[in-house]
Amino acid sequence: MRRFKRFLRFWHRWLGLVISLLLMYLAITGWLLNHSEDWQWSNRFVQSTWFMRAYGIAEPTADVTIALYPSLFNQPALTQSSSKQSSSNHHWLSQWQQKIFVDQHLLLADFQGPLVAVLVLPDVYLLATQDSLQAVNPQGQRIWQLDGLDLLPSPITGLVVSNQQIILQTPHKNWLFDAKQLSWQPAFSVLEIPDSSLDVIASQSLPMDLQAAIVPQVSQKQVSWQQVLLDLHSGRLFKAVVVMDITAWLLLVLSISGLLLFFRRRS
C-alpha cells in the first residue's frame, strides 16, 4: 500500500507541474481573448512571415524586379523617389501584383498588367506593359497613358535609349518615341541598339533589406490576431489539438489521483 501511495504521489506531483504550465498557457490566451474588443484584435492583422507560414500562406514575392541604372539622360527622378540605394549604387523597381515600388517607396497602387519595361526620364517614369505605355511622376501621379485605342505599337518588348532618343521595341520593328508629342514613327535608321544604351536590366533578385521593407506593405489582411488567439487557445494552430485533448485527460487523471490521495490520507 505504501509503495502504491509513493507511486501515486510521484505521478501526481509531475502531472501537476505539466498541467500547471498548460493551464497558464490557456489562462493567458483566454485573458487576451476576453479583452479582444479593448485591444481591437479583430482589426489587427498578422504580418509575421512565421505565423503566415503556420497558416499555409506563402510570403509574397515580387512578380517583376528591375534594377535601374543611371541612363544616358542622367535622370533626377531616381533620387527624388527614394534615398535608399543598394551597395551596387543603383535603385530597384519591382511589381507586386498591382503595386509598383521604387526601392521601398510605393509608386503606384493600381498598375494594370505585367510590367515589361521601364525607362527613367527627367522627373518621369515610363512604364510599359505589352499593350500600354504610361508616364508617372515620382509622386505616383499619372501624367498620361496610351494603349491600343491610341494606335500604340504592340506588343511592346522593351524601352531603351539610343543616341539620346527613346526607342520603343516590338518584335518586328523599333519605333522612335516622342514623349512630348506622344507620337512614334518607324526607326528605319536604327538597325541595332548597343547594349550600353540599356537603362534597365531585368530578372534580378531584390536585395533582402528591400524585400523585408516591402513585404509588410503588400501583405494582405488575411489573418487577424483574434483568429490567431482563438486558434492558439483551442490548439488548432500548429496542429496542437491533440495536446489539448491530452491536457483534458491529464486533468482528469490528476483529479482522480488527488481524490485518492485525499481519501487515503483520511483513512
Side-chain angles (χ1 to χ4, degrees):
M1 185 64 65
R2 289 183 179 178
R3 184 177 299 176
F4 175 73
K5 198 178 269 190
R6 284 198 299 269
F7 173 81
L8 201 61
R9 285 176 180 172
F10 174 82
W11 283 107
H12 184 81
R13 183 183 301 116
W14 285 104
L15 283 176
L17 177 61
V18 173
I19 289 296
S20 65
L21 295 176
L22 292 172
L23 289 178
M24 288 171 60
Y25 165 82
L26 291 173
I28 292 172
T29 54
W31 175 70
L32 291 172
L33 281 170
N34 195 43
H35 292 277
S36 60
E37 292 185 2
D38 298 332
W39 290 315
Q40 300 293 313
W41 294 124
S42 60
N43 296 326
R44 297 183 179 182
F45 294 87
V46 175
Q47 294 184 347
S48 168
T49 56
W50 187 72
F51 270 112
M52 299 298 279
R53 284 196 296 268
Y55 277 94
I57 302 174
E59 179 178 330
T61 57
D63 301 312
V64 179
T65 301
I66 298 176
L68 301 175
Y69 292 88
S71 72
L72 299 179
F73 286 100
N74 193 20
Q75 312 308 348
L78 291 173
T79 57
Q80 293 181 12
S81 63
S82 173
S83 60
K84 188 171 184 177
Q85 288 181 292
S86 67
S87 58
S88 55
N89 195 31
H90 58 261
H91 294 260
W92 294 84
L93 186 141
S94 56
Q95 180 181 13
W96 305 67
Q97 296 183 351
Q98 295 184 346
K99 294 183 178 181
I100 301 291
F101 286 83
V102 176
D103 293 333
Q104 76 274 27
H105 166 72
L106 179 63
L107 182 68
L108 287 175
D110 56 351
F111 187 81
Q112 301 295 325
L115 188 67
V116 297
V118 178
L119 199 62
V120 184
L121 303 179
D123 299 321
V124 174
Y125 295 96
L126 285 185
L127 308 176
T129 66
Q130 286 189 345
D131 53 9
S132 69
L133 180 65
Q134 57 186 281
V136 181
N137 66 19
Q139 289 73 42
Q141 299 171 331
R142 284 186 176 85
I143 303 171
W144 50 258
Q145 183 170 349
L146 304 172
D147 54 26
L149 297 176
D150 304 293
L151 303 179
L152 180 71
S154 64
I156 299 173
T157 58
L159 290 172
V160 296
V161 177
S162 179
N163 300 323
Q164 298 291 321
Q165 291 180 306
I166 301 171
I167 307 298
L168 189 154
Q169 295 179 307
T170 60
H172 304 294
K173 189 178 293 185
N174 295 327
W175 304 79
L176 291 175
F177 180 71
D178 188 338
K180 294 183 179 179
Q181 300 297 326
L182 301 184
S183 62
W184 47 88
Q185 58 183 342
F188 296 109
S189 60
V190 181
L191 300 178
E192 183 178 349
I193 298 175
D195 293 340
S196 60
S197 69
L198 294 179
D199 191 53
V200 298
I201 297 179
S203 302
Q204 296 195 13
S205 299
L206 199 66
M208 294 299 296
D209 56 340
L210 291 181
Q211 175 93 5
I214 293 174
V215 165
Q217 301 182 58
V218 299
S219 296
Q220 298 181 0
K221 297 179 178 180
Q222 299 182 19
V223 182
S224 68
W225 278 108
Q226 184 176 26
Q227 183 64 50
V228 172
L229 289 171
L230 281 169
D231 292 340
L232 286 173
H233 189 73
S234 63
R236 288 192 296 268
L237 192 59
F238 307 120
K239 299 180 180 180
V241 175
V242 176
V243 175
M244 295 303 160
D245 292 341
I246 293 175
T247 301
W249 283 103
L250 288 179
L251 277 171
L252 182 61
V253 172
L254 188 68
S255 301
I256 294 173
S257 62
L259 287 172
L260 289 175
L261 287 171
F262 177 78
F263 286 111
R264 290 284 183 182
R265 183 179 299 174
R266 290 176 65 87
S267 60

